Amino acid sequence: MDTLQNNPFSLEYGPGEDKDVQLMSSDGVVFHVQRYLLAHTSPVFKDMFLVGNGPLQIAVSEDSKTLAHFLRFFDPTKEIQRMQVKDAIPLLEAARKYQVQHIFKWWAKGILGKGRVPTDEAMDCLALALRHNLHRAAGIAFESAIGAPESELQSTLPITDHEILNQLIKLRAERKDGIFKLLHEGLTLRKE
């Protein structure tokens, strides 16, 4: 268990009078939080606390970085921080595990608000959106993947929907053929 001196989250999640639950991350960092915030935001924690008085110490499988991001969604006084897709992967998994739906809405809104996804994150965004049934966000990520350079079409997550992958391959080929056709027509016009 990490001591408060070594805990980078001690100011925000250190002990306090009203912090009656301790969550211990997979890397040993203890987060002191309010039971009512956990129960109000997550049906999983609510059910956990309904059994007797519920546990006061809970070991979770999320690491401290993910848990710190995750807990910000429980407290309306905390500002939600922007993050890279690689950090959103474990956050969305925690949201699924603890049934915190507004985290999915926040993530999808971030994509929908921009109307595009950086091409180097398109495949991971597509995989995440498909995995969590965020169809509009998947559409935006899909569009970004169509125009992405081939070198950026890797995903750290599997995309198991082969129909989507086949459609992506087909549309990328059509786009490439269209670009070559336009280039060829442009060169032909210059020669004339």
Side-chain angles (χ1 to χ4, degrees):
M1 186 164 17
D2 220 341
T3 64
L4 285 178
Q5 292 81 15
N6 298 330
N7 181 345
F9 308 105
S10 63
L11 290 176
E12 197 169 4
Y13 296 108
E17 268 184 38
D18 57 346
K19 297 178 179 181
D20 51 354
V21 174
Q22 295 177 4
L23 297 179
M24 187 177 354
S25 66
S26 62
D27 51 352
V29 177
V30 175
F31 292 77
H32 298 263
V33 292
Q34 297 163 331
R35 177 189 309 241
Y36 77 89
L37 285 176
L38 293 174
H40 176 73
T41 309
S42 165
V44 173
F45 283 117
K46 182 178 183 178
D47 289 347
M48 201 180 295
F49 297 137
L50 285 176
V51 178
N53 284 338
L56 297 177
Q57 295 180 325
I58 303 168
V60 296
S61 59
E62 292 73 28
D63 65 18
S64 57
K65 183 177 181 181
T66 301
L67 193 54
H69 283 304
F70 181 68
L71 290 173
R72 296 186 88 67
F73 287 90
F74 285 69
D75 188 343
T77 65
K78 304 277 192 251
E79 184 179 328
I80 306 302
Q81 300 168 336
R82 293 187 52 88
M83 66 181 65
Q84 295 180 323
V85 172
K86 66 180 178 72
D87 295 325
I89 294 168
L91 175 67
L92 293 177
E93 286 305 308
R96 181 191 55 75
K97 177 179 170 183
Y98 296 107
Q99 300 175 11
V100 182
Q101 296 304 312
H102 67 276
I103 293 178
F104 295 113
K105 292 175 186 170
W106 166 83
W107 185 77
K109 184 179 176 183
I111 289 176
L112 298 173
K114 290 186 236 173
R116 63 174 187 75
V117 172
T119 56
D120 64 332
E121 295 182 339
M123 294 302 288
D124 278 340
C125 285
L126 178 59
L128 276 174
L130 290 172
R131 179 180 176 106
H132 298 293
N133 296 316
L134 303 168
H135 303 294
R136 289 179 58 209
I140 290 172
F142 187 83
E143 286 178 21
S144 293
I146 291 171
E150 199 165 315
S151 63
E152 295 180 351
L153 287 179
Q154 292 117 22
S155 176
T156 56
L157 300 170
I159 298 178
T160 57
D161 188 332
H162 298 290
E163 187 176 323
I164 293 280
L165 289 175
N166 288 335
Q167 186 68 15
L168 179 62
I169 292 166
K170 178 183 170 201
L171 290 172
R172 285 180 58 80
E174 288 174 7
R175 180 179 176 273
K176 188 194 268 184
D177 290 345
I179 290 171
F180 285 137
K181 183 179 177 185
L182 286 173
L183 285 172
H184 178 70
E185 289 171 1
L187 291 174
T188 305
L189 288 174
R190 280 192 170 171
K191 287 180 182 178
E192 295 174 358

